[in-house]
Amino acid sequence: QVQVLESGGGLVQAGGSLRLSCATSETMLRIHTMGWYRQAPEKQRELVATITGGGSTNYADSVKGRFAISRDNTKNTLYLQMNNLKPEDTSVYYCNVDGSRTPWDRQDYWGQGTQVTVSS
């Protein structure tokens, strides 16, 4: 079973920066869209940013201009650079990978989440 491994969360003051990383535990045959989602306590999981295999990006309005998503296809790795963090960005951040290990098993893979806490 492919695992999705996230890192880079932590505690930061408002206005600060963090960089999240996410990688798959094994080499995938193909990775399509990758993305970051977040879920705050008692709230639904929401999209933060996605990036396609071709590099097209999509951001939630709340993070546009502050967050940047990128990927390294040679390493099956996804990044999220978060700048000018706000207390409302406090959430558990999840990495999502839409990928295939073989030509017949495309599916979504989720990480366990990494906590980001922004203090005011």
Side-chain angles (χ1 to χ4, degrees):
Q1 179 70 18
V2 175
Q3 290 184 311
V4 176
L5 308 172
E6 300 131 331
S7 61
L11 173 64
V12 65
Q13 288 188 332
S17 299
L18 284 174
R19 188 190 195 208
L20 305 183
S21 300
C22 159
T24 56
S25 59
E26 60 183 78
T27 300
M28 307 290 284
L29 175 66
R30 185 173 179 183
I31 294 180
H32 305 275
T33 299
M34 305 177 80
W36 291 98
Y37 294 74
R38 66 187 182 187
Q39 186 168 16
E42 301 182 358
K43 291 189 176 181
Q44 289 189 334
R45 189 172 296 188
E46 62 178 5
L47 180 148
V48 176
T50 60
I51 183 168
T52 67
S56 296
T57 58
N58 179 51
Y59 294 93
D61 287 342
S62 59
V63 306
K64 282 181 181 177
R66 300 188 297 122
F67 291 10
I69 190 170
S70 61
R71 61 191 281 175
D72 183 338
N73 292 327
T74 65
K75 299 179 180 179
N76 285 358
T77 301
L78 179 69
Y79 304 98
L80 184 69
Q81 178 65 43
M82 304 185 293
N83 299 323
N84 190 22
L85 282 160
K86 303 176 180 180
E88 52 262 43
D89 295 318
T90 296
S91 281
V92 178
Y93 284 71
Y94 296 90
C95 176
N96 174 264
V97 176
D98 172 9
S100 308
R101 289 188 298 168
T102 72
W104 308 281
D105 71 345
R106 179 176 177 176
Q107 62 180 298
D108 273 334
Y109 298 92
W110 289 92
Q112 292 299 307
T114 184
Q115 177 71 44
V116 172
T117 303
V118 184
S119 63
S120 57

